[in-house]
Amino acid sequence: MVQLLNTREIADYLRLKQRKVYDLVQRGEIPCTRVGGKWLFPKDQIDHWLAARNGTEPVVRMAAAPPPVIAGSHDPLLDWCVDESRCGLALMGGGSLSGLERFAEGAAVACGLHAFDTASGEQNLPFIRRQLGDRDVVAIEWARREQGLVVAAGNPLGIRSVADLAASRARIVRRQPEAGAQLLFDHLVMGAGLGWADLVTLDRPVRVETEVGLAVLGGQADAGLAIRAVAHQLRLDFVPLHWERYDLVMRRRDYFEPPLQTLLRFARSPLAARRAEELQGYDLSGLGTVHFNGP
């Protein structure tokens, strides 16, 4: 079981003031993860981080032979490519940040990640640095995806922006706090000069983007944030707001192994390109680009 320390506990453990801990978090210099709006610090990774800073352990190597699963965020194109490519991998549901934690624990061979960092404006990399900065991992671009508001067919409330959600008193379905879509939604709401207290939300968040669309389709909600592909598949309207980058995080050694190479090779095929076009809201021009390469 991974021991997680809160900000006060990690400050005591490191003999630092809490303000100094927050400075390290903002600069992406300390292993941590954000769950439910709170920063948590995996003690084993903190110990490795301290050893690396002292020069006694320059690189932390992840455990051998993780399960052949991809944890993290759901993506319709990834789901389809894993199945069609027969790469031998399986998918483990959950949000971006919980998936990154499972990957860090060695419970998955890779993690699908789309997480917007409000402090830096960067996509994915601050979270990778905090959680895995001292590990021999790489982040490979999977796709750029179009995020926006999924609304009922015909857009009966006339929603054109996040600000319209408050003006129309639309019922909003949210994702779990550790989901990349919810991190982005929080940022967009704040950018519109709003807080969640200004909006009408359903009592319970949903776990995957498809459930956002189904809540709108079934009339339980008027709007929610999801990718264009979800709206297109369910024949709902879509209000575009943001293009994001979805990355796959993996160990360097596993990148060269047959399962991930088979998946990435298939993703570059004309068949996968046609599927992305059918789903809508995908840009595969950067597929395979290395955005992070650990020590």
Side-chain angles (χ1 to χ4, degrees):
M1 178 70 67
V2 175
Q3 182 181 358
L4 296 172
L5 306 179
N6 62 30
T7 305
R8 179 185 57 77
E9 291 168 338
I10 195 64
D12 291 343
Y13 186 67
L14 299 176
R15 298 181 181 178
L16 297 173
K17 293 184 178 179
Q18 290 190 42
R19 178 174 295 180
K20 178 61 176 178
V21 173
Y22 284 119
D23 288 343
L24 292 170
V25 169
Q26 292 302 319
R27 295 199 300 268
E29 295 180 7
I30 188 171
C32 58
T33 187
R34 192 168 187 172
V35 177
K38 297 181 180 180
W39 290 109
L40 298 176
F41 304 82
K43 185 177 179 299
D44 61 338
Q45 294 181 36
I46 293 295
D47 291 337
H48 290 314
W49 174 73
L50 288 171
R53 286 167 65 92
N54 294 331
T56 59
E57 188 179 344
V59 179
V60 177
R61 303 292 174 182
M62 297 182 72
V69 298
I70 301 176
S73 179
H74 169 258
D75 177 68
L77 181 63
L78 179 61
D79 287 2
W80 185 83
C81 286
V82 165
D83 185 53
E84 291 292 322
S85 67
R86 299 184 180 180
C87 60
L89 297 171
L91 295 165
M92 178 189 299
S96 289
L97 300 189
S98 60
L100 199 62
E101 185 174 344
R102 290 189 181 102
F103 173 74
E105 293 171 352
V109 74
C111 170
L113 179 69
H114 67 108
F116 182 84
D117 181 65
T118 302
S120 66
E122 282 190 282
Q123 188 81 33
N124 300 337
L125 298 186
F127 300 93
I128 297 171
R129 294 190 194 106
R130 291 167 192 154
Q131 189 89 349
L132 302 162
D134 57 352
R135 310 225 185 170
D136 54 331
V137 302
V138 294
I140 308 295
E141 181 172 330
W142 173 254
R144 306 264 172 166
R145 311 190 310 174
E146 193 174 19
Q147 285 272 12
L149 296 173
V150 176
V151 297
N155 196 359
L157 296 182
I159 295 170
R160 294 287 179 265
S161 67
V162 172
D164 289 340
L165 296 175
S168 65
R169 302 301 293 166
R171 297 165 299 159
I172 303 164
V173 56
R174 291 198 284 177
R175 297 286 309 282
Q176 71 272 35
E178 63 270 21
Q182 190 57 43
L183 296 177
L184 176 60
F185 210 175
D186 291 342
H187 170 70
L188 294 172
V189 167
M190 183 176 63
L194 299 170
W196 283 108
D198 302 313
L199 302 170
V200 179
T201 61
L202 301 190
D203 291 337
R204 295 183 180 179
V206 298
R207 300 291 300 177
V208 296
E209 289 183 310
T210 303
E211 292 182 26
V212 172
L214 290 173
V216 174
L217 184 66
Q220 291 85 30
D222 300 307
L225 190 77
I227 57 175
R228 181 182 285 274
V230 168
H232 178 67
Q233 286 179 303
L234 297 176
R235 299 184 179 180
L236 297 168
D237 273 22
F238 183 77
V239 180
L241 296 176
H242 180 80
W243 278 90
E244 65 176 7
R245 193 181 75 242
Y246 184 107
D247 291 336
L248 289 175
V249 183
M250 62 198 73
R251 298 186 308 176
R252 274 197 297 272
R253 57 170 288 180
D254 291 325
Y255 169 80
F256 296 102
E257 294 298 318
L260 285 165
Q261 280 295 303
T262 298
L263 173 63
L264 292 170
R265 185 167 54 250
F266 179 82
R268 297 186 182 96
S269 69
L271 189 61
R274 286 197 297 272
R275 180 58 178 166
E277 186 175 355
E278 292 169 358
L279 287 169
Q280 297 191 6
Y282 283 95
D283 177 359
L284 302 184
S285 60
L287 175 66
T289 301
V290 178
H291 290 283
F292 178 85
N293 194 352

